[in-house]
Amino acid sequence: MTALTFRYVAHTDTGLRRSANQDSGYASPRLLVIADGMGGAAAGDLASSEVMHIIRELDRDDLDTDAMAALEEAVTKANARLGDLITEDPAVEGMGTTLDALLWDGEKFAFAHIGDSRVYRLRGGELTQISQDHTFVQSLIDEGRISPAEARVHPHRSLILRAMLGRDDNGADLSWVQPMLGDRYLLCSDGLTDMVTDEVIRGALLAETIDMAATELVRLALEAGGYDNVTVVIGEFVEAGTPPDDRLSSSDGQPQLVGAASGQARPRTGKGSSGSDSATASSSSTYDPEELRYAPRPPSRRRWIRWAAAFALVALILGAGGAWAYNWSQTQYFVAAQDGKVTIFKGVQADIPGITLQHVEQVTDVELETLPTFRRQQVEAGIEASSKADAEETVAELDQLAVQPTPTPTKPTPKPTPTKTRSTASNASWQR
Ligand code: CA
């Protein structure tokens, strides 16, 4: 068998809508890594950087154990680090990160995956996703309830079921990956995959060099809207001993560290900058579904928005459009809490003396206290639905996330190793 080595490149961009880059990317002759942080302003950066710095410690040629054992140990250590940070500062609770890491042992990759960042392989012109998204929509695909095409437009497509959150049940999927000569591996954050299709990714990955491919992939994500941070890390397999390609930014053999972990997230420049400024300003005052997935807005803020909406509605009801506005309000649904149960309401959320704009449509069996904190807060604040079916979908999703309260609410007994099996719908990583 031909001895192989790989060339590499890591690119990132804050995107056109975000003010900070919470992604971290890393590429070196031994290691390819991506981490997409979540959990609000500073915490997402912190989570992805801290995890990246621990995983990067694997980038040395004197590992004590085989690559898989070393990777598994590093993942456990990184997760524990997040747990410690959260214990030290409860304000960052809820922060977390996705992680994909490929550690080269000279013949094959040890591969760790958790979250919704992706790893693709381009082989013989064919693109294959080799990671499985830990998302709600992927669980629906696995159950045969929706198609991948439907998943792309599903209202809850951005909900992650597993991520590295600093808890004992946040194990990664671990497996070996056997590269072949000519393979290209792409690690990317959802800032790419939410913006472009796999076919577009395939086309870009066919570029002459991996630097060109990485540049083109980032460009395509920005062209499609650049809603999120976008990070791409690419490895390309060549015969061992092949001289460095001077066209590549990595021809100097130095590791490339980009994004939050580099501590110098690149500010938007050039033609995107003016758009970035206005988008940043508006993002602080408008609802951003992608951000909500990571860090649901505090209820007080949402309450204010609802109050404003209710005020506008009352003005309409009292005015000429009264009957129409009231009727419209009665075609709306939302999911909220009542008597400790997740409940579907018909109408709109508003507490206005003398006017009833909502009534209980259905009380479900889902207990509020069995939900993870994030989701519980969302329910308490109310989750709007575009239809009854949409509300039912939200309830089904909450039902899947519900867990029985653990008898010891403090520190559970640590497991010796992360689980190697992929949890399906139990979503244990959100258990508290
Ligand atoms: Ca992201």
Side-chain angles (χ1 to χ4, degrees), residues 230-265:
V230 52
T231 303
V232 298
V233 175
I234 306 177
E236 172 187 46
F237 278 85
V238 295
E239 273 185 50
T242 305
D245 182 343
D246 290 340
R247 296 172 300 173
L248 298 184
S249 56
S250 62
S251 61
D252 59 4
Q254 294 302 305
Q256 297 186 347
L257 176 65
V258 298
S262 73
Q264 47 188 17

Short mmCIF file of all heavy atoms in Angstrom, two decimals, residues 230-265:
data_model
loop_
_atom_site.label_atom_id
_atom_site.label_comp_id
_atom_site.label_asym_id
_atom_site.label_seq_id
_atom_site.Cartn_x
_atom_site.Cartn_y
_atom_site.Cartn_z
N VAL A 230 -18.65 30.86 9.15
CA VAL A 230 -18.40 29.73 8.25
C VAL A 230 -16.94 29.33 8.34
O VAL A 230 -16.05 30.18 8.24
CB VAL A 230 -18.83 30.03 6.80
CG1 VAL A 230 -18.23 31.31 6.29
CG2 VAL A 230 -18.48 28.88 5.87
N THR A 231 -16.71 28.05 8.59
CA THR A 231 -15.35 27.55 8.74
C THR A 231 -15.19 26.27 7.93
O THR A 231 -16.07 25.40 7.98
CB THR A 231 -15.02 27.26 10.23
OG1 THR A 231 -15.22 28.47 10.96
CG2 THR A 231 -13.60 26.78 10.40
N VAL A 232 -14.10 26.19 7.19
CA VAL A 232 -13.82 24.98 6.42
C VAL A 232 -12.37 24.56 6.67
O VAL A 232 -11.47 25.39 6.67
CB VAL A 232 -14.06 25.17 4.89
CG1 VAL A 232 -15.52 25.49 4.63
CG2 VAL A 232 -13.19 26.26 4.32
N VAL A 233 -12.19 23.28 6.91
CA VAL A 233 -10.86 22.69 7.09
C VAL A 233 -10.80 21.55 6.08
O VAL A 233 -11.71 20.73 6.01
CB VAL A 233 -10.68 22.14 8.52
CG1 VAL A 233 -9.36 21.42 8.66
CG2 VAL A 233 -10.79 23.28 9.54
N ILE A 234 -9.74 21.53 5.27
CA ILE A 234 -9.66 20.51 4.22
C ILE A 234 -8.31 19.78 4.31
O ILE A 234 -7.28 20.41 4.53
CB ILE A 234 -9.81 21.11 2.81
CG1 ILE A 234 -11.09 21.94 2.70
CG2 ILE A 234 -9.82 20.01 1.74
CD1 ILE A 234 -11.26 22.64 1.35
N GLY A 235 -8.36 18.46 4.16
CA GLY A 235 -7.15 17.65 4.04
C GLY A 235 -7.19 16.93 2.71
O GLY A 235 -8.26 16.49 2.27
N GLU A 236 -6.03 16.81 2.06
CA GLU A 236 -5.96 16.15 0.74
C GLU A 236 -4.82 15.14 0.76
O GLU A 236 -3.67 15.49 1.07
CB GLU A 236 -5.70 17.19 -0.34
CG GLU A 236 -5.42 16.58 -1.70
CD GLU A 236 -5.00 17.63 -2.71
OE1 GLU A 236 -4.15 18.49 -2.37
OE2 GLU A 236 -5.51 17.60 -3.82
N PHE A 237 -5.14 13.90 0.40
CA PHE A 237 -4.13 12.84 0.50
C PHE A 237 -3.27 12.72 -0.74
O PHE A 237 -3.77 12.64 -1.86
CB PHE A 237 -4.80 11.51 0.85
CG PHE A 237 -5.03 11.43 2.33
CD1 PHE A 237 -6.18 11.99 2.89
CD2 PHE A 237 -4.06 10.91 3.16
CE1 PHE A 237 -6.36 11.98 4.26
CE2 PHE A 237 -4.23 10.91 4.54
CZ PHE A 237 -5.38 11.44 5.08
N VAL A 238 -1.96 12.72 -0.49
CA VAL A 238 -0.96 12.57 -1.54
C VAL A 238 0.01 11.48 -1.09
O VAL A 238 -0.01 11.07 0.08
CB VAL A 238 -0.21 13.90 -1.79
CG1 VAL A 238 -1.16 14.96 -2.32
CG2 VAL A 238 0.49 14.39 -0.52
N GLU A 239 0.86 11.04 -2.01
CA GLU A 239 1.87 10.04 -1.64
C GLU A 239 2.86 10.65 -0.66
O GLU A 239 3.28 11.80 -0.83
CB GLU A 239 2.63 9.58 -2.88
CG GLU A 239 1.96 8.44 -3.61
CD GLU A 239 2.83 7.93 -4.77
OE1 GLU A 239 4.02 7.68 -4.54
OE2 GLU A 239 2.30 7.82 -5.87
N ALA A 240 3.24 9.86 0.34
CA ALA A 240 4.24 10.34 1.30
C ALA A 240 5.51 10.70 0.53
O ALA A 240 5.88 10.01 -0.41
CB ALA A 240 4.51 9.27 2.34
N GLY A 241 6.14 11.79 0.91
CA GLY A 241 7.37 12.19 0.24
C GLY A 241 7.14 13.16 -0.91
O GLY A 241 8.10 13.70 -1.47
N THR A 242 5.88 13.39 -1.28
CA THR A 242 5.59 14.37 -2.33
C THR A 242 6.06 15.74 -1.85
O THR A 242 5.76 16.13 -0.71
CB THR A 242 4.07 14.44 -2.60
OG1 THR A 242 3.60 13.14 -2.92
CG2 THR A 242 3.74 15.39 -3.74
N PRO A 243 6.81 16.48 -2.68
CA PRO A 243 7.28 17.79 -2.22
C PRO A 243 6.11 18.74 -1.95
O PRO A 243 5.04 18.58 -2.56
CB PRO A 243 8.14 18.31 -3.37
CG PRO A 243 8.05 17.32 -4.46
CD PRO A 243 7.23 16.15 -4.02
N PRO A 244 6.29 19.72 -1.06
CA PRO A 244 5.21 20.65 -0.76
C PRO A 244 4.77 21.40 -2.01
O PRO A 244 5.57 21.65 -2.90
CB PRO A 244 5.86 21.63 0.23
CG PRO A 244 7.07 20.95 0.76
CD PRO A 244 7.51 20.00 -0.31
N ASP A 245 3.48 21.71 -2.07
CA ASP A 245 2.92 22.48 -3.19
C ASP A 245 3.00 23.95 -2.82
O ASP A 245 2.32 24.41 -1.90
CB ASP A 245 1.46 22.04 -3.38
CG ASP A 245 0.80 22.75 -4.57
OD1 ASP A 245 1.34 23.78 -5.03
OD2 ASP A 245 -0.25 22.26 -5.03
N ASP A 246 3.85 24.69 -3.54
CA ASP A 246 4.08 26.11 -3.21
C ASP A 246 2.82 26.96 -3.31
O ASP A 246 2.76 28.05 -2.77
CB ASP A 246 5.15 26.71 -4.14
CG ASP A 246 6.52 26.13 -3.84
OD1 ASP A 246 6.68 25.60 -2.72
OD2 ASP A 246 7.40 26.20 -4.71
N ARG A 247 1.84 26.44 -4.04
CA ARG A 247 0.60 27.23 -4.18
C ARG A 247 -0.22 27.21 -2.90
O ARG A 247 -1.15 28.00 -2.74
CB ARG A 247 -0.25 26.67 -5.34
CG ARG A 247 0.41 26.79 -6.70
CD ARG A 247 -0.41 26.04 -7.74
NE ARG A 247 -0.52 24.62 -7.42
CZ ARG A 247 -1.29 23.74 -8.08
NH1 ARG A 247 -2.02 24.17 -9.09
NH2 ARG A 247 -1.32 22.48 -7.74
N LEU A 248 0.10 26.29 -1.99
CA LEU A 248 -0.71 26.16 -0.78
C LEU A 248 -0.16 27.01 0.35
O LEU A 248 1.05 27.12 0.54
CB LEU A 248 -0.75 24.70 -0.32
CG LEU A 248 -1.38 23.70 -1.29
CD1 LEU A 248 -1.43 22.32 -0.66
CD2 LEU A 248 -2.78 24.15 -1.69
N SER A 249 -1.08 27.59 1.13
CA SER A 249 -0.67 28.42 2.27
C SER A 249 0.01 27.56 3.33
O SER A 249 0.73 28.07 4.17
CB SER A 249 -1.89 29.13 2.86
OG SER A 249 -2.87 28.17 3.22
N SER A 250 -0.21 26.24 3.29
CA SER A 250 0.39 25.36 4.30
C SER A 250 1.69 24.76 3.82
O SER A 250 2.22 23.84 4.46
CB SER A 250 -0.60 24.24 4.64
OG SER A 250 -0.86 23.46 3.48
N SER A 251 2.25 25.25 2.70
CA SER A 251 3.47 24.63 2.17
C SER A 251 4.65 24.81 3.13
O SER A 251 5.65 24.12 3.02
CB SER A 251 3.81 25.21 0.79
OG SER A 251 4.03 26.60 0.89
N ASP A 252 4.51 25.71 4.11
CA ASP A 252 5.58 25.89 5.10
C ASP A 252 5.52 24.81 6.20
O ASP A 252 6.38 24.75 7.06
CB ASP A 252 5.49 27.28 5.74
CG ASP A 252 4.14 27.53 6.43
OD1 ASP A 252 3.31 26.60 6.49
OD2 ASP A 252 3.93 28.66 6.91
N GLY A 253 4.48 23.97 6.16
CA GLY A 253 4.38 22.89 7.13
C GLY A 253 3.90 23.31 8.51
O GLY A 253 3.82 22.50 9.43
N GLN A 254 3.58 24.59 8.66
CA GLN A 254 3.12 25.08 9.97
C GLN A 254 1.63 24.81 10.16
O GLN A 254 0.86 24.89 9.19
CB GLN A 254 3.37 26.60 10.08
CG GLN A 254 4.84 26.97 10.11
CD GLN A 254 5.57 26.30 11.26
OE1 GLN A 254 5.19 26.43 12.42
NE2 GLN A 254 6.62 25.55 10.92
N PRO A 255 1.22 24.54 11.39
CA PRO A 255 -0.22 24.36 11.65
C PRO A 255 -0.98 25.66 11.37
O PRO A 255 -0.42 26.75 11.48
CB PRO A 255 -0.26 24.03 13.15
CG PRO A 255 1.11 23.66 13.54
CD PRO A 255 2.03 24.37 12.60
N GLN A 256 -2.24 25.51 11.03
CA GLN A 256 -3.10 26.68 10.81
C GLN A 256 -4.23 26.64 11.84
O GLN A 256 -4.98 25.67 11.91
CB GLN A 256 -3.68 26.66 9.39
CG GLN A 256 -2.58 26.76 8.33
CD GLN A 256 -3.14 26.89 6.92
OE1 GLN A 256 -4.33 26.66 6.68
NE2 GLN A 256 -2.26 27.23 5.98
N LEU A 257 -4.33 27.72 12.61
CA LEU A 257 -5.37 27.85 13.63
C LEU A 257 -6.20 29.08 13.30
O LEU A 257 -5.65 30.17 13.15
CB LEU A 257 -4.73 28.00 15.01
CG LEU A 257 -5.68 28.25 16.19
CD1 LEU A 257 -6.58 27.04 16.42
CD2 LEU A 257 -4.86 28.54 17.46
N VAL A 258 -7.52 28.90 13.15
CA VAL A 258 -8.36 30.03 12.74
C VAL A 258 -9.59 30.15 13.64
O VAL A 258 -9.97 29.20 14.33
CB VAL A 258 -8.83 29.88 11.26
CG1 VAL A 258 -7.65 29.87 10.31
CG2 VAL A 258 -9.69 28.62 11.08
N GLY A 259 -10.19 31.32 13.62
CA GLY A 259 -11.44 31.54 14.35
C GLY A 259 -11.23 31.91 15.80
O GLY A 259 -10.20 32.47 16.18
N ALA A 260 -12.23 31.56 16.62
CA ALA A 260 -12.23 31.98 18.03
C ALA A 260 -10.95 31.56 18.75
O ALA A 260 -10.38 32.32 19.53
CB ALA A 260 -13.45 31.40 18.75
N ALA A 261 -10.47 30.34 18.48
CA ALA A 261 -9.29 29.83 19.20
C ALA A 261 -8.03 30.59 18.83
O ALA A 261 -7.05 30.58 19.56
CB ALA A 261 -9.10 28.34 18.92
N SER A 262 -8.04 31.27 17.68
CA SER A 262 -6.85 32.02 17.27
C SER A 262 -6.80 33.36 17.98
O SER A 262 -5.79 34.06 17.94
CB SER A 262 -6.84 32.23 15.76
OG SER A 262 -7.81 33.19 15.41
N GLY A 263 -7.90 33.73 18.62
CA GLY A 263 -7.95 34.99 19.35
C GLY A 263 -7.91 36.19 18.46
O GLY A 263 -7.72 37.31 18.91
N GLN A 264 -8.03 35.98 17.18
CA GLN A 264 -8.02 37.12 16.26
C GLN A 264 -9.04 36.89 15.15
O GLN A 264 -8.70 36.88 13.98
CB GLN A 264 -6.64 37.33 15.67
CG GLN A 264 -6.00 36.05 15.17
CD GLN A 264 -4.56 36.26 14.78
OE1 GLN A 264 -3.94 37.24 15.15
NE2 GLN A 264 -4.02 35.33 14.00
N ALA A 265 -10.28 36.66 15.58
CA ALA A 265 -11.33 36.48 14.60
C ALA A 265 -11.32 37.65 13.63
O ALA A 265 -11.32 38.79 14.03
CB ALA A 265 -12.67 36.39 15.31
#
